[in-house]
Each structure stands twice: as structure tokens, then as C-alpha cells.
Amino acid sequence: MKKTLKMISLILVMTVLASTTAFAGAVPTDIAGSSCEEAVKTLVEAGAITGDTDGKFHPEENLTRAQACIIIVKTIDPPAALVNGTATQAASKAGFTDLKGYSWAAGYIAYAVEHGIVKGYPDGTFKPGVNVSSNEMLTMVLRAAGYTEDKIGANWPADYIVKAKEVGLLKGIEETYPEMSTKGMAAQMTFNQMEALKAMAPVLTEEPQGTKEDKPSNIPSNKGMVFATGSFDSNLTTFAGKTVSKSTEIYTYSTKKEYSKDMKFSDKEDAYRKDTLYKFKDAKTPAWYLVEGDKITKMILPRDTGFSGNVYGVINSTCTDTNVNDEAVTGFETLTATKAITWFGKKGLTIPNFTAGDGQLYELKTSDGEVQNVATADSPKGKVFNELTTSKAWTAVNEYSDNVITTSNGLISVKRNASIYVWDEKKNEYKAGSLSSVKAGKEVRAYDVSDDDIKSADVVVVK
């Protein structure tokens, strides 16, 4: 019965994907000879726009605010995790009250709002189904390309129109353009700024922190900080009910049993280590934290705390260090949920055979942030950890379209929020990628790590 349910679920997912991202990579049949032909072809090839279910683009139709966000954000092509989250880490939410039925666009809207490309309305709505005017569309493209108000002027739309003409955003568009933007115009505007938009794509991968070399430049002070015991939420946006800044500074120091409101802190830099927030998902821990502007901006946490559960990631390297008890232990510099994180193992942890660049995904079973076991899909400890590339080796991509990878061994469905890791041959390491990294001519290994009754890839490793 469960197998039948899985098949039904997969069919439903495929149907939804086909209806929302139809003909990705296929050039629509109705743009030949149109003024936006080159723009549409280029954006289709880049995976930024798609045709409708009838195989056409309908360039004269209007487009909505939701569709405008998708076109612009897909052209920027940020790492997939920043738009749709991952199997284990939800994406940021914009918090608008009227996005019901727009789950397919919610991540793109949130990204666009967070990066100042578009704004919501004072009543807390976004109005995703409202058509975009031509001046609104050119404003969104300008903002996305990095043109802020101080570079444009405060007089809208006049100053924005002047800037749009100055930077070539209106090239190929008639001087007397219509009030409401058409899909063709939106494609042309986006295409005209494509290079600038792609340059705005953020890079997720940072150097993992948490080793003895990661000393703070100054001894962290608990002056002005609050002591409390609480939990981080699953999205790492709050601790003990307080909002955590995305750029909060994390330091680890001493052990949990030493933490109290009267504890004494060392005056030695070596006693502290800089670390990453993402290691502490769902962790309950004592902490000292500083609140600035209603957000936690600095935290001092025990070294023997962190996430407990299974984490899945690629390993860039191993390292050795000492744990909180001054015992020699092995660490793993990983990309986990597309974030660079160093995990340390328990004393005497058995290390698996590790080959850089082989596309292998690893399951790290952790307790209070310490790795207790390392496994591959051949011998997992978690409930679900399956490799979908049947050869269990690099497999050539014949085609990638509509969130489906076609290989000589069959089809692989890819979740919209899949973590994408790309092997960088020159740097000899993995980096976070986007869905556009998956394309014909590349090789992949794909993995299912979520217990959702759907056999599809939560993680795709690409080279």
C-alpha cells in the first residue's frame, strides 16, 4: 500500500511541476520574428522563463507581480537554498497574508522582497496576482541590478525611466510603451540587464569555522549581554523567543555545566572559537547573548552543544583538533544544507574511506553537535537515505527539464528545494549551486534523504 501511495504522490508532484514550469528549456513556438525573440530564447536557455502548457509564450499577455519576481530572481540565479530552502532548512518567508495558493512563487517573492527588488503593501499583503505596470517592471529590474534610490533619484517613475534609458534597459522597447507590462516586454527588460542581474547572485559557501585557528580578533566580552537557557528554532531565526540576526556573531567557550549568570570568562583568546550559527539548529542550550535593535547580534555558547540528529552533506576535507576535553578528534569540513560547517567527531570515531570529488553524500549522526557515526547510502543509520543514481557513481545528464533529470538509466525527479552541490575541479572542493547547474553534459549523483513518501532528489551533486 505504501509503495502505491509513493507512486501516486510522485505522479501528483510531476503533474504540479509540469503545470508550473512547463517547457523549461524548450523555445516557445510563437516568438519567431517577434521583437523579443532573442530575449526569450536566451532566458529560456538560462532557465529563467518558460512557455505555457500549450508550448507558447504569449508575449502580448500581461504578467503578474508573482511572475515578475520569478523571472527576475531566476535570471539572477541565486543558490537554490536561498529561494526554496532545503530538505532540512526552510527558506525565509516574506510573511504576507495573501500568498495562499502561491506556494510555487513564495520563495521567489520572499527573495525579491528581502533583497529590495519589490515591496509589499502597508496592509501586509503582496497582491501576487495583480498585473505589473511597465514602470513597476523596469523599477524591479533596476533595483535587482543594484541601482538604489541614491543612484537613481527619489522621483518615481520619472527618475527611474531616465535611468532605465541611460543603462539600456529599454533597448528594443518602443518609446510609447503600454501602461501595463507584457510578458514580452518583461523578458526584453530582463534580458537587457541580464549581465548585471547575474552579477548580483550571492555566494553561499563560506569558510567553515569552529577550529582552534578560528580565534576571535578580540576577546569576546559578555558586557551588556543577557544570560538565558533556551532553544533555537528549526529555521534558526529565534533563540528563547528572541529574533536572531542573520549576521549574528557566534563564539563557543567552555562547557554547558560552567554556564550560569555568575560565570567567569577567560581573558585568553585561545579559550574562544568563532563558529557558525547553522550548527545549532533545534539545540537547547544555555547562552549569553547581546540584543541590538530588537535582534540578537552576538552569542557565546558552550562548545559541547549543537544539533542532535542526522545531517547530510558533502565533505570537502577532514581535519584534526582537540575537543572541549582536550582530546584529539577528527573533524569534517562539509557543506550541509548548503552551509559551510565544520563538525567534529567523538573520540575514536571511525572515519570512512574518503575520496575528494567522488560525489558521495554522507550521513553524519550527531549528538549535541558531535558526530557519533558517519555513513553512506549503503549503510545508513537514518530512516531514509537512498541514492537515486542507480549506478551509485557519476551519471551523465542527457537532459534536465521541468525538475526531471533524464539519464541513460532512467528519470530522476528533483525537488524544487533540492540542495545543489557543484564540484569545482580547480579549487578541489564542492560549492553551493543552483538548479541551473544541472544541465545536459554534466554528471550527477542524486539522493533522497527525506521521509515524505516521495522518491525524488533532496540533494544533487554535480560535476
Side-chain angles (χ1 to χ4, degrees):
M1 180 64 176
K2 190 171 183 180
K3 187 177 289 186
T4 302
L5 286 174
K6 285 186 177 182
M7 182 58 69
I8 292 173
S9 298
L10 181 57
I11 292 171
L12 287 172
V13 169
M14 295 295 289
T15 301
V16 170
L17 289 174
S19 66
T20 57
T21 60
F23 295 95
V27 178
T29 59
D30 61 339
I31 60 163
S34 69
S35 61
C36 64
E37 180 178 1
E38 182 184 4
V40 173
K41 282 184 176 180
T42 303
L43 292 173
V44 166
E45 289 171 0
I49 62 175
T50 65
D52 289 335
T53 53
D54 60 0
K56 298 180 179 180
F57 183 64
H58 303 290
E60 297 306 315
E61 289 186 356
N62 296 129
L63 80 161
T64 65
R65 284 166 58 82
Q67 291 170 326
C69 288
I70 290 176
I71 290 174
I72 293 172
V73 174
K74 281 191 172 183
T75 302
I76 295 172
D77 197 24
L82 294 183
V83 178
N84 296 311
T86 70
T88 57
Q89 190 73 48
S92 299
K93 294 183 179 180
F96 296 113
T97 60
D98 59 343
L99 295 185
K100 185 177 181 180
Y102 283 87
S103 60
W104 50 274
Y108 298 96
I109 292 170
Y111 184 93
V113 171
E114 184 178 344
H115 289 79
I117 297 169
V118 67
K119 300 176 182 179
Y121 292 88
D123 63 357
T125 63
F126 184 75
K127 297 181 174 49
V130 171
N131 287 339
V132 176
S133 73
S134 297
N135 289 335
E136 288 171 336
M137 186 67 202
L138 68 84
T139 299
M140 290 172 66
V141 175
L142 283 173
R143 288 173 177 165
Y147 296 101
T148 53
E149 188 174 289
D150 62 309
K151 297 177 182 178
I152 299 173
N155 186 18
W156 189 88
D159 290 343
Y160 286 76
I161 295 171
V162 170
K163 177 60 72 173
K165 292 178 178 178
E166 178 187 317
V167 301
L169 187 147
L170 296 178
K171 181 180 179 182
I173 295 173
E174 294 182 5
E175 184 76 20
T176 55
Y177 52 78
E179 178 184 359
M180 304 309 293
S181 176
T182 64
K183 292 170 68 176
M185 285 178 59
Q188 189 65 50
M189 289 182 186
T190 305
F191 169 74
N192 289 341
Q193 287 293 300
M194 193 169 183
E195 185 175 338
L197 292 173
K198 284 191 169 298
M200 299 302 291
V203 178
L204 266 184
T205 306
E206 301 172 352
E207 290 299 318
Q209 295 178 316
T211 68
K212 60 185 177 184
E213 282 78 22
D214 297 318
K215 294 180 293 186
S217 55
N218 296 300
I219 298 171
S221 169
N222 68 329
K223 184 177 181 181
M225 299 180 79
V226 176
F227 173 77
T229 295
S231 298
F232 289 93
D233 65 344
S234 294
N235 294 331
L236 293 162
T237 56
T238 64
F239 174 77
K242 299 286 185 182
T243 301
V244 178
S245 168
K246 288 186 176 181
S247 58
T248 188
E249 298 176 23
I250 301 291
Y251 302 96
T252 57
Y253 167 75
S254 192
T255 63
K256 285 186 285 188
K257 66 181 182 181
E258 301 296 328
Y259 274 60
S260 71
K261 64 180 181 180
D262 301 316
M263 71 182 291
K264 303 297 182 182
F265 284 84
S266 173
D267 58 359
K268 297 179 179 179
E269 287 184 2
D270 287 347
Y272 302 87
R273 298 185 183 184
K274 295 187 71 174
D275 216 320
T276 173
L277 174 65
Y278 300 101
K279 192 186 292 184
F280 302 95
K281 175 181 175 179
D282 291 329
K284 184 176 181 179
T285 179
W288 285 87
Y289 63 83
L290 178 67
V291 176
E292 297 177 297
D294 297 326
K295 291 185 178 180
I296 295 176
T297 58
K298 183 171 77 171
M299 300 189 77
I300 302 177
L301 302 166
R303 284 187 59 198
D304 57 346
T305 192
F307 176 71
S308 295
N310 293 325
V311 297
Y312 299 87
V314 288
I315 297 177
N316 272 326
S317 64
T318 59
C319 56
T320 57
D321 207 327
T322 55
N323 62 17
V324 72
N325 299 315
D326 288 327
E327 300 168 321
V329 293
T330 297
F332 307 88
E333 294 191 345
T334 74
L335 287 182
T336 303
T338 70
K339 306 295 190 302
I341 301 176
T342 299
W343 302 92
F344 282 100
K346 66 180 181 181
K347 182 182 178 182
L349 177 69
T350 301
I351 309 301
N353 292 328
F354 168 69
T355 303
D358 63 358
Q360 180 68 63
L361 189 73
Y362 291 90
E363 174 190 81
L364 310 181
K365 183 172 181 58
T366 67
S367 177
D368 285 328
E370 183 182 70
V371 180
Q372 306 297 305
N373 182 75
V374 183
T376 65
D378 290 328
S379 56
K381 302 296 182 181
K383 192 171 183 180
V384 176
F385 183 19
N386 300 310
E387 181 162 3
L388 303 179
T389 31
T390 55
S391 60
K392 295 190 176 182
W394 289 116
T395 301
V397 176
N398 295 336
E399 182 183 1
Y400 176 68
S401 180
D402 295 339
N403 290 83
V404 176
I405 301 172
T406 303
T407 75
S408 58
N409 295 324
L411 305 178
I412 300 172
S413 172
V414 180
K415 286 193 178 74
R416 198 169 60 213
N417 65 345
S419 297
I420 310 297
Y421 303 119
V422 180
W423 176 248
D424 188 327
E425 198 75 49
K426 292 181 179 179
K427 295 185 176 180
N428 204 42
E429 66 180 19
Y430 297 100
K431 61 183 180 180
S434 62
L435 289 172
S436 65
S437 305
V438 185
K439 60 184 71 175
K442 295 290 186 178
E443 293 182 296
V444 298
R445 294 184 73 172
Y447 302 86
D448 179 8
V449 299
S450 58
D451 184 23
D452 54 10
D453 282 341
I454 299 173
K455 189 178 180 181
S456 56
D458 297 294
V459 179
V460 180
V461 190
V462 185
K463 79 165 184 177

